Amino acid sequence: MAQWTSAVGAAQLARLLNSQQDRPAGPGTRRPPAYRALADGIRLLVLEGRVPVAARLPAERELALALSVSRTTVAAAYEALRAEGFLESRRGAGSWTAVPAGNPLPARGLEPLPPEALGSVIDLGCAALPAPEPWLTRAVQGALEELPPYAHTHGDYPAGLPVLRSMIAERYTARGIPTMPEQIMVTTGAMGAIDAICHLFGGRGERIAVESPSYANILQLMREAGARLVPVAMAEGLGGWDVDRWRQVLRDAAPRIAYVVADFHNPTGALADDDQRRRLVDAARSAGTVLVADETMTELWLDDDVEMPRPVCGFDPAGSTVITVGSASKAFWAGMRIGWVRAAPDVIRSLVAARAYADLGTPVLEQLAVNWLFSTGGWAQAVELRRTQARENREALVTAVRRELPEWEFEVPKGGLTLWVRAGGLSGSRLAEAGERVGVRVPSGPRFGVDGAFEGYVRLPFTVGGAVAEEAATRLAAAARLVEAGASGGNGEAPRTFVA
């Protein structure tokens, strides 16, 4: 019986391999042999997660044709991968990817470290800060006081607790967007909200337009839902959204859904202005596309001179085009898995009906905790604390990275939690791998793109400050030196195996 569970075509693998851009070799440096470079490329794709474990690779002849290399080169690369434990083969079943014993996949900079690992590894993987105490404890205590009446019910509220739906509606109304509780559904985080929207409007094989780059976890969620992602390039730096390009893509590709993070975009930190928002909504309406606006970063402005634009849904008074997603996870704490959807009442009814076959509802205690924060003023004070933490961390990280890695390029956003960094011509995938070796976890650029884009980037969040930020930059510089040594020949070849 075959041991592979998926397959990677020759053209797809060639495209992924060709997306790996290294810094050009300097005078006198040596490149590894062609088979070695190919083996390293496949190994890094596995380590980075862009080629899954237990994926059947194309036959030697097929890959050789796709890459315009000799079959001998591919055969030697496959043999090297088998020797290192990254490939397994069986006559009649082909060859499939694997991970050698004792060399687990790196976390790819997206999953948080377990508490016991925090002392040895600096985690720059998740753009999330520790809980803003004492507000978490106070919110839970307040929720416990409000819990007894709900404990006498079945506890299933597919649309969310009425008291929290009303509170969220009031908050939108206070922002100048009149909203009824019937337009709100409480979800298990923003991920739960977008998953529900994708299943309602998307369906397997449907096109979804996404920013390029975009939030990595949402891209993966959409892929696993069977969507066909249509990337729309962001402007360089903090330029944000090229609306003419969006209009063309929406017209030509006719995606059912478009997903945007207009408020301190993840990962670039860009902030869409009123004109961009208005034109995005107009373009989506003209194309018949549902525009999903992710507001999870909307309260995280960090500079005093920031004037927040009108919410994206404010440019859709009829409520026929824009669905808004919000969350407590970024502004308050990622462990508080409370999100929400604002949409037309008929859309909310459809989402709620579909939820009966999914998770039934969001935990009652956490909903009560968020409602306590909203109703007592605790939310505003906690978010202000969060802004202060993020502002100080941003300053420390920017200063440290500019000192240790002056060739890395980035613009400092006025809000959000992330820096989008061009890594001085180095491979983001190789930096992520090398970072695991030297004790710093960082997500590489391709995680935030489609089909291997952004190989030359990494994302750095404002999650550490002070001496820890300085040490993180020092370790990133050490990782960069490892990558440079591998690219330039170093001791003759690039590093061959991953050591966690």
Side-chain angles (χ1 to χ4, degrees):
M1 181 178 177
Q3 299 298 307
W4 49 273
T5 57
S6 62
V8 181
Q12 179 188 6
L13 183 56
R15 183 171 63 251
L16 291 170
L17 289 165
N18 289 333
S19 73
Q20 296 174 332
Q21 300 296 322
D22 284 333
R23 175 177 289 179
T29 59
R30 291 192 295 131
R31 291 289 187 184
Y35 86 90
R36 183 68 257 170
L38 175 56
D40 286 343
I42 294 174
R43 176 177 56 84
L44 284 166
L45 290 174
V46 174
L47 290 171
E48 180 61 16
R50 287 185 286 154
V51 171
V53 176
R56 185 180 186 275
L57 296 186
E60 295 170 2
R61 188 185 302 278
E62 294 174 356
L63 185 57
L65 288 172
L67 293 173
S68 299
V69 300
S70 71
R71 183 177 177 181
T72 302
T73 296
V74 177
Y78 278 13
E79 181 58 35
L81 289 168
R82 277 190 288 269
E84 295 165 2
F86 286 93
L87 197 67
E88 296 181 8
S89 303
R90 179 178 300 169
R91 185 178 298 276
S95 300
W96 56 91
T97 56
V99 176
N103 292 273
L105 278 171
R108 303 189 300 269
L110 296 178
E111 297 84 6
L113 286 169
E116 63 270 16
L118 294 177
S120 59
V121 179
I122 298 175
D123 188 3
L124 298 182
C126 294
L129 289 160
E133 290 288 26
W135 298 108
L136 174 61
T137 298
R138 292 180 182 178
V140 173
Q141 290 171 341
L144 287 172
E145 293 176 0
E146 299 293 331
L147 182 62
Y150 295 94
H152 294 290
T153 73
H154 50 63
D156 289 336
Y157 295 88
L161 295 183
V163 64
L164 181 55
R165 295 176 73 196
S166 295
M167 181 61 68
I168 294 171
E170 290 176 13
R171 288 171 59 81
Y172 276 106
T173 300
R175 294 170 66 191
I177 312 298
T179 303
M180 304 178 295
E182 292 79 9
Q183 291 177 262
I184 301 296
M185 181 177 83
V186 180
T187 62
T188 307
M191 293 286 289
I194 293 170
D195 182 58
I197 293 167
C198 287
H199 280 88
L200 179 63
F201 289 98
R204 187 162 295 275
E206 288 281 2
R207 294 184 179 93
I208 299 181
V210 295
E211 300 146 327
S212 184
S214 187
Y215 180 37
N217 288 338
I218 292 297
L219 294 180
Q220 188 60 28
L221 181 154
M222 292 173 175
R223 290 187 189 101
E224 293 183 359
R228 299 161 62 190
L229 301 184
V230 182
V232 186
M234 298 281 286
E236 286 291 321
L238 299 177
W241 295 259
D242 184 337
V243 183
D244 290 336
R245 183 178 295 171
W246 269 95
R247 188 177 297 277
Q248 179 180 354
V249 169
L250 295 181
R251 182 182 65 242
D252 295 345
R256 187 71 183 91
I257 302 172
Y259 169 77
V260 298
V261 185
D263 300 294
F264 307 117
H265 175 258
N266 187 352
T268 68
L271 176 65
D273 59 28
D274 281 326
D275 183 60
Q276 288 173 320
R277 294 166 189 243
R278 180 183 297 105
R279 294 173 63 204
L280 277 171
V281 174
D282 289 344
R285 185 183 297 115
S286 297
T289 298
V290 175
L291 183 62
V292 179
D294 187 334
E295 287 191 335
T296 54
M297 296 281 192
T298 192
E299 296 191 63
L300 291 177
W301 66 84
L302 304 182
D303 294 343
D304 293 336
D305 61 347
V306 175
E307 292 187 15
M308 289 302 296
R310 187 171 174 80
V312 175
C313 59
F315 299 97
D316 180 37
S320 59
T321 300
V322 178
I323 296 178
T324 303
V325 172
S327 173
S329 296
K330 297 298 185 183
F332 187 74
W333 185 46
M336 187 69 77
R337 304 304 305 157
I338 298 295
W340 52 86
V341 178
R342 181 198 181 275
D346 61 319
V347 172
I348 294 298
R349 285 193 294 270
S350 297
L351 288 170
V352 171
R355 191 175 194 180
Y357 307 100
D359 64 356
L360 294 179
T362 302
V364 169
L365 186 63
E366 293 184 22
Q367 292 187 70
L368 290 173
V370 171
N371 188 67
W372 183 92
L373 288 165
F374 285 157
S375 61
T376 63
W379 177 269
Q381 295 183 66
V383 171
E384 185 56 42
L385 174 60
R386 173 67 77 236
R387 293 193 194 107
T388 299
Q389 292 172 326
R391 189 182 303 115
E392 293 173 352
N393 288 354
R394 181 187 62 176
E395 181 179 356
L397 185 66
V398 166
T399 300
V401 171
R402 283 178 171 166
R403 181 183 65 246
E404 298 292 335
L405 294 151
E407 67 279 12
W408 286 19
E409 303 171 39
F410 55 85
E411 292 188 38
V412 181
K414 292 181 175 293
L417 291 171
T418 57
L419 286 178
W420 184 236
V421 181
R422 190 193 300 270
L426 298 179
S427 160
S429 298
R430 288 177 166 83
L431 282 167
E433 181 193 359
E436 296 271 350
R437 300 183 181 188
V438 298
V440 59
R441 179 171 291 177
V442 58
S444 66
R447 279 285 157 199
F448 305 88
V450 177
D451 290 333
F454 307 109
E455 183 59 55
Y457 289 79
V458 293
R459 189 194 72 173
L460 304 181
F462 315 142
T463 52
V464 296
V468 180
E470 294 181 6
E471 179 61 22
T474 299
R475 295 186 187 186
L476 285 171
R481 289 192 293 272
L482 284 176
V483 175
E484 289 172 331
S488 65
N491 59 3
E493 295 181 358
R496 296 194 180 190
T497 57
F498 172 72
V499 179

